[in-house]
Amino acid sequence: MPTFAAPDGTELAYHVRGEGAPLVVLPGGPMRASAYLGDLGGLAVRRRLVLLDLRGTGDSAVPADPATYRCDRLVDDVEALRAHMGLAHMDLLGHSAGGSLAMLYAARYPERVGRLVLVTATPWALGMPATGADRLAAARLRKGEPWFEEAFSKFEAWATGAGDFDPALAPFFYGRWDEVAREHEARADKQFNDEATDVYGSEGAYDPPATRAALTRLAQPVLVLAGELDGGPRPDLARRAAEVFPNAEFAVQPGAGHYPWLDDPEWFVRRTVAFLDKDGAPLPSAD
């Protein structure tokens, strides 16, 4: 397991899967160990995935200063990883909360970004959070599911701030609540750093006007990929985020939730590779 030193001396780990041109992957959560990403549905067959364990998660060390868990301060860790790998620039993928970290990195170091992929990324960095109404609208799309009636009232309480998150809500985050999704969810508790989660988006983490201004000048290609059934972000919110970038593609993966590489790995890999590689596979239909 390779490691490198962050600017403040914290030892950070990353995991390499696959062969080919590197794709640096920033996990979400926020502050969830990168193990949950797996090989991104088989994307490692086409790209060498470099999955960063953010400080205090997975195999990375806990920092001396917990304030460094804040999203904007993690940008320096991403840049240190690029320098450690000796890359003049790098393709970058951010999932979920990691999408905001990827956006902050691109805003600060545009010349270091090759291509940028934002997967089901709630655009907090742009001042565009998913609302309770967004999440409820997406949840209601699942009304025909056998688990819906029992889980929806708990989901409604959580989405409106009237209740805490309950494990029974997990099916709403997956396009298919099958054995693969159940196993993925079962590992979640051990993969989070709860203290770091609370700090990640704390006061001062984001400056949306400055970030939006910087990203409107980003010339590099961007793919914003949303899940049809995801509530955070819903496709319309992800589309509005894509409009910030001057050179963006927008795609909605049919039947997908917040982890689209689990719901339809083939669709996810084909669409992502088609964006990353000019000679990639033909684009799948979004119909």
Side-chain angles (χ1 to χ4, degrees):
M1 178 191 63
T3 63
F4 66 101
D8 66 352
T10 304
E11 186 177 24
L12 303 181
Y14 60 98
H15 303 267
V16 179
R17 298 190 175 97
E19 302 292 337
L23 174 64
V24 174
V25 182
L26 305 180
M31 302 305 287
R32 185 173 180 179
S34 66
Y36 83 94
L37 295 160
D39 67 354
L40 286 175
L43 186 57
V45 173
R46 300 295 296 269
R47 280 298 186 107
R48 177 161 54 98
L49 305 182
V50 180
L51 302 122
L52 177 62
D53 278 340
L54 300 176
R55 54 181 53 216
T57 72
D59 293 308
S60 288
V62 173
D65 181 5
T68 60
Y69 290 135
R70 208 173 70 178
C71 185
D72 60 318
R73 299 186 67 175
L74 297 174
V75 171
D76 290 334
D77 293 350
V78 179
E79 173 61 3
L81 172 60
R82 181 205 61 78
H84 166 76
M85 296 177 63
L87 299 173
H89 60 269
M90 59 186 177
D91 292 340
L92 190 62
L93 184 151
H95 171 246
S96 189
S100 281
L101 176 54
M103 285 185 246
L104 293 187
Y105 181 84
R108 192 182 303 178
Y109 296 104
E111 73 283 0
R112 299 303 190 186
V113 176
R115 289 175 175 253
L116 175 62
V117 182
L118 301 173
V119 178
T120 58
T122 302
W124 295 328
L126 302 177
M128 300 163 63
T131 66
D134 287 335
R135 294 189 181 279
L136 287 172
R140 290 188 180 100
L141 298 175
R142 316 301 296 279
K143 193 170 184 178
E145 304 278 356
W147 44 264
F148 178 87
E149 294 299 333
E150 180 180 352
F152 183 74
S153 61
K154 295 178 181 178
F155 189 90
E156 186 173 30
W158 171 72
T160 58
D164 295 329
F165 189 86
D166 186 289
L169 310 186
F172 288 105
F173 294 86
Y174 296 85
R176 298 183 302 182
W177 188 236
D178 55 13
E179 190 60 32
V180 171
R182 291 185 181 92
E183 290 180 1
H184 187 263
E185 174 60 25
R187 295 189 291 269
D189 283 347
K190 296 180 180 179
Q191 295 172 339
F192 277 93
N193 179 331
D194 293 334
E195 177 189 15
T197 294
D198 293 338
V199 177
Y200 188 87
S202 58
E203 185 176 359
Y206 307 122
D207 183 349
T211 301
R212 292 172 70 98
L215 294 179
T216 59
R217 299 189 294 270
L218 184 72
Q220 289 83 344
V222 179
L223 171 64
V224 177
L225 192 152
E228 180 186 20
L229 304 178
D230 193 16
R234 293 189 72 198
D236 60 343
L237 178 58
R239 184 187 298 275
R240 286 191 284 121
E243 291 171 354
V244 170
F245 301 93
N247 188 14
E249 299 178 16
F250 174 68
V252 179
Q253 182 168 325
H258 199 59
Y259 308 97
W261 63 90
L262 296 177
D263 297 318
D264 189 340
E266 182 180 355
W267 198 103
F268 176 81
V269 170
R270 289 178 62 213
R271 185 62 180 91
T272 305
V273 168
F275 169 74
L276 290 172
D277 300 341
K278 288 183 179 180
D279 297 325
L283 298 183
S285 170
D287 295 335

